[in-house]
Amino acid sequence: LIYNCRTGTMIINTASKGKRSVKDIKKLWDMFCADENPQLPLREKVRANPAQYHSLKKACGKYRGQFFKTAYKKSDYVDWLLTEGPQYIRDENTWMFFEYCKALREEEEKAERAEGDDEQEQDEQEDAEEP
């Protein structure tokens, strides 16, 4: 950890080969302070409102650095993650992406069911109108 008093910047070196982390500690702290319910785990917040997290980036693993919204378009990966992935997940960011995918899939399935119900109602109305 390096703090430069003159510029007011903090640098966090990771344990791997002296690579620097680009995390903005102040921004993370401000987000934490602005959070209305900091006791609620972030992955539960993602599950409750996935649209708020479209611009969150995957921090590691496959598709690292891509926005959640972009990585979600990789349907083969999302299928794998939702079925076999939980046994391999080791970090909070990937759990958040898992919950993001799960919530979006549930929304899509609900919309498809509602659309199917609407079509069925239309078919029944058309059948009832025929003499």
Side-chain angles (χ1 to χ4, degrees):
L1 179 67
I2 301 168
Y3 180 72
N4 185 327
C5 298
R6 189 171 43 90
T7 62
T9 58
M10 185 181 301
I11 297 172
I12 300 173
N13 287 327
T14 64
S16 60
K17 301 179 186 173
K19 293 180 183 175
R20 292 184 172 184
S21 171
V22 293
K23 295 189 186 306
D24 184 343
I25 298 297
K26 171 100 170 70
K27 182 178 176 184
L28 291 172
W29 178 251
D30 290 343
M31 286 173 53
F32 175 77
C33 291
D35 192 350
E36 294 174 8
N37 192 358
Q39 291 80 19
L40 190 65
L42 192 52
R43 69 171 88 159
E44 290 182 27
K45 293 175 187 173
V46 172
R47 184 183 321 134
N49 191 359
Q52 259 188 324
Y53 299 91
H54 288 321
S55 62
L56 202 62
K57 287 188 176 183
K58 280 193 53 37
C60 62
K62 200 166 188 176
Y63 306 114
R64 182 177 79 181
Q66 291 190 9
F67 293 112
F68 278 15
K69 186 176 185 175
T70 305
Y72 180 73
K73 293 176 185 174
K74 317 293 188 202
S75 59
D76 290 343
Y77 175 63
V78 172
D79 291 342
W80 174 85
L81 181 68
L82 293 174
T83 55
E84 299 174 38
Q87 62 186 338
Y88 301 106
I89 298 174
R90 301 285 182 259
D91 63 283
E92 187 63 22
N93 180 268
T94 306
W95 275 116
M96 289 181 348
F97 184 64
F98 172 84
E99 293 297 344
Y100 174 85
C101 294
K102 188 174 168 184
L104 287 181
R105 283 281 171 95
E106 287 171 0
E107 287 178 5
E108 289 171 359
E109 289 171 4
K110 187 186 278 186
E112 286 175 7
R113 272 186 263 128
E115 188 176 295
D117 291 345
D118 289 344
E119 288 176 6
Q120 187 176 4
E121 285 178 20
Q122 286 178 344
D123 290 344
E124 290 172 0
Q125 287 176 354
E126 289 173 3
D127 290 343
E129 291 174 1
E130 291 180 5

